[in-house]
Amino acid sequence: MIDYTDVDAKLEEYSEAFDFYMECGEMPPSMPPDDCLAGYMQEVIDNNPQIDGSDETWVEVLKEDLISFFTALLEQFRAMQIEAMKELAIIAKFNEASIEKKRMMWTEVCSIIEAGYSKYDVNLAGYTAQFKTDDKGAVFSALTSDWANACKAKLDRKERQMLNRAKMQFEQLSREAGTRDYEDKKKVENYVHRYPQLKEIVDMIGRDKDSSKEERDTVVYRFLPTTVAKNSSVEEIDRVESGDNLERVLPVELSMPEDLFFKRYATKELQQFSSPGKDKPKKIEEHRKDPRLTKGPIIVSIDTSGSMSGQPQRIAFSLLKQLLRMAKKQKRPCYLISFSVRSKSIDLAKPRNWSKIDNFLEHSYSGGTDGEQMLAEAIHVLQKGTYEMADVLIVSDFEFPVPNPSTMEKIDKEKTLGTRFYGLKIGHYGVKGYKHIMDKIWEV
């Protein structure tokens, strides 16, 4: 029996299976062969030759449509499975009960079997007749085994019937909406070509650009072993000591018999010149470029106040879609915050939320801006514990005050933990002070 009780986990599994199938031409080994949704996913991919990988947008459209379809189905699968699990719990309880308790449960058991199964699924009458001649324990064991198998088979049958009923509607909607979704995504991509700053942002957050050129880490201390120079001046010589450094060995040592020389070399007893501190590790304070090798989560905060409606909204939306595509490819969590008078947030790490982005943003562009609440929400997400080394991007006209001192203190603390704060400023106005708060800010 496939476990569908954790819908988000299953959606993530199907999302990864889709990518694996596109790359390898087969389902991942971890995918159960009797998983009906995985089988249908394979069928859909095979029946859509346009997603041969040459056009990434078609692949993205089909994947999002499938995940959205599976989301609705899995909610129903989950409800059916919970009911089946209740029945399986009764079966287990009945199987483990003593003979006396089995007699007490017998009426309930017969009622459940008669209501849910035919005699071909569970032959209750046949088992009842066997009680008169055979060992009762063996009969009960066989009955509960048949009942449990029938329960699982019925659940699987109901799931496949539900899929068969729903997939015809999905395929029709997919044909009608697929081209429209494709064209919409292509329009979004055109903004990246029109505004090169958007590609710079995606490259920076995707770490495809060498971020060390843009930012430096705090002061780093490290111990470096410093070796003695080959040709030391006389002034460097401080004393004579024992060792095995052939570059500093005294000439007199070279005149001794070969076997004695090698013995003294092996036991580090050769007489050699020494300089103070030359062979000791020393502490060096230096500014080192920060590589930020760990690709952490992405938090995108989009200003949805009235001043951002129209073209700024379309620019923000285009950038978000590009960042989400990159986050999916790199398997990075992505969190979206929209803010105006109040902030709202949605966790895009969950595949079930991919289809909600349009409604989440399109009906939000009104009112003023409360930047303080937006920053508080971003910091709250950072402090959840799963968003270390995050990249935070604020898309806004920045027509709101700089953070108050307590918020600024929290921002600085998150920066010391590896978080980077970036901004895309849309428009020619806004508060200038954010240039000193963001690690980098772009303007369009």
Side-chain angles (χ1 to χ4, degrees):
M1 185 172 70
I2 309 297
D3 184 3
Y4 294 117
T5 54
D6 189 339
V7 174
D8 287 326
K10 288 303 294 183
L11 288 172
E12 184 63 34
E13 185 180 350
Y14 291 132
S15 173
E16 293 178 359
F18 184 98
D19 296 337
F20 189 92
Y21 192 81
M22 289 299 302
E23 183 176 348
C24 304
E26 61 182 8
M27 283 293 160
S30 59
M31 184 64 69
D34 58 340
D35 189 318
C36 62
L37 294 185
Y40 181 61
M41 174 187 290
Q42 182 174 340
E43 179 185 327
V44 170
I45 294 174
D46 292 343
N47 290 337
N48 281 270
Q50 76 272 23
I51 61 163
D52 57 0
S54 58
D55 191 334
E56 192 174 296
T57 306
W58 272 120
V59 176
E60 189 177 347
V61 167
L62 183 62
K63 180 178 179 179
E64 289 184 2
D65 286 349
L66 267 173
I67 293 298
S68 179
F69 174 56
F70 284 179
T71 301
L73 272 179
L74 283 171
E75 292 293 348
Q76 299 178 69
F77 281 16
R78 179 178 181 273
M80 291 190 301
Q81 190 163 67
I82 289 174
E83 288 302 312
M85 288 171 70
K86 291 178 182 177
E87 185 172 333
L88 288 170
I90 294 173
I91 296 172
K93 181 180 178 182
F94 180 70
N95 187 49
E96 295 168 5
S98 63
I99 292 295
E100 291 75 13
K101 289 185 177 179
K102 280 184 169 67
R103 289 196 183 99
M104 294 173 62
M105 296 178 66
W106 182 247
T107 303
E108 179 189 5
V109 165
C110 291
S111 175
I112 295 173
I113 294 175
E114 288 170 351
Y117 304 94
S118 71
K119 65 179 181 180
Y120 302 105
D121 298 320
V122 183
N123 189 355
L124 184 60
Y127 282 117
T128 303
Q130 289 183 53
F131 286 134
K132 299 175 182 177
T133 57
D134 297 341
D135 176 62
K136 289 183 173 56
V139 175
F140 278 127
S141 178
L143 169 61
T144 52
S145 177
D146 278 359
W147 184 11
N149 290 334
C151 179
K152 295 173 185 176
K154 183 172 70 171
L155 175 63
D156 182 70
R157 187 167 58 251
K158 289 170 67 176
E159 289 166 351
R160 293 179 184 278
Q161 288 171 349
M162 182 170 289
L163 171 61
N164 288 332
R165 287 195 300 268
K167 69 182 184 182
M168 294 183 64
Q169 184 179 5
F170 164 72
E171 289 164 9
Q172 182 179 351
L173 290 174
S174 183
R175 283 193 297 270
E176 294 172 356
T179 303
R180 184 176 66 250
D181 291 342
Y182 175 82
E183 291 172 351
D184 289 344
K185 286 184 180 294
K186 281 297 183 184
K187 288 178 184 177
V188 166
E189 292 173 8
N190 288 337
Y191 277 91
V192 177
H193 303 296
R194 192 183 308 177
Y195 300 100
Q197 299 95 323
L198 305 189
K199 186 177 186 305
E200 285 184 29
I201 294 171
V202 175
D203 288 345
M204 175 70 81
I205 293 178
R207 318 281 171 90
D208 294 326
K209 182 177 181 180
D210 183 6
S211 60
S212 62
K213 295 178 181 178
E214 303 291 339
E215 50 187 281
R216 289 178 181 270
D217 199 1
T218 53
V219 175
V220 179
Y221 295 92
R222 61 178 178 176
F223 285 92
L224 297 177
T226 306
T227 57
V228 180
K230 202 167 189 175
N231 297 316
S232 303
S233 64
V234 176
E235 289 78 8
E236 289 179 321
I237 298 172
D238 175 69
R239 62 185 181 274
V240 174
E241 64 181 12
S242 298
D244 60 354
N245 189 336
L246 298 178
E247 294 178 356
R248 288 182 166 271
V249 69
L250 270 60
V252 68
E253 296 284 357
L254 300 174
S255 62
M256 69 177 62
E258 189 175 275
D259 57 343
L260 180 59
F261 176 84
F262 283 117
K263 178 183 177 183
R264 289 169 63 83
Y265 172 76
T267 56
K268 297 185 179 181
E269 293 178 351
L270 292 174
Q271 298 296 298
Q272 62 186 41
F273 295 115
S274 177
S275 297
K278 275 290 180 181
D279 295 321
K280 297 178 181 178
K282 62 181 180 179
K283 200 175 189 179
I284 296 176
E285 179 181 313
E286 65 172 14
H287 285 277
R288 187 172 59 183
K289 292 178 180 178
D290 177 14
R292 297 192 76 221
L293 298 178
T294 302
K295 294 185 178 183
I298 302 166
I299 300 174
V300 185
S301 189
I302 296 181
D303 184 348
T304 55
S305 61
S307 60
M308 286 286 289
S309 62
Q311 184 74 349
Q313 171 191 354
R314 289 187 283 273
I315 293 173
F317 197 76
S318 173
L319 178 57
L320 172 64
K321 287 299 185 75
Q322 292 297 313
L323 288 171
L324 182 57
R325 172 184 288 180
M326 180 265 292
K328 291 177 187 176
K329 189 178 296 184
Q330 296 183 352
K331 309 298 183 186
R332 295 169 66 181
C334 188
Y335 203 89
L336 172 62
I337 300 170
S338 73
F339 68 99
S340 54
V341 179
R342 294 182 179 179
S343 67
K344 298 188 300 180
S345 57
I346 183 171
D347 187 356
L348 297 180
K350 296 181 177 179
R352 70 157 73 219
N353 289 335
W354 295 348
S355 61
K356 299 179 182 178
I357 298 176
D358 293 358
N359 289 333
F360 186 78
L361 290 174
E362 286 180 352
H363 304 295
S364 304
Y365 290 85
S366 61
T369 307
D370 186 346
E372 198 66 41
Q373 191 182 55
M374 173 273 300
L375 289 168
E377 177 69 19
I379 292 168
H380 173 70
V381 172
L382 287 168
Q383 292 174 341
K384 285 183 176 180
T386 56
Y387 279 76
E388 294 89 353
M389 291 297 291
D391 292 296
V392 178
L393 173 68
I394 299 173
V395 183
S396 173
D397 52 19
F398 285 90
E399 294 186 14
F400 48 86
V402 296
N404 62 43
S406 63
T407 302
M408 195 64 236
E409 184 179 342
K410 293 175 182 176
I411 291 174
D412 290 337
K413 181 179 179 181
E414 293 300 329
K415 285 184 177 182
T416 64
L417 298 175
T419 299
R420 293 294 178 265
F421 288 82
Y422 302 116
L424 173 62
K425 182 175 177 293
I426 301 177
H428 303 291
Y429 302 100
V431 176
K432 305 294 183 184
Y434 274 91
K435 285 191 175 181
H436 304 291
I437 296 170
M438 301 288 106
D439 290 281
K440 184 173 179 62
I441 194 165
W442 291 262
E443 295 186 18
V444 294

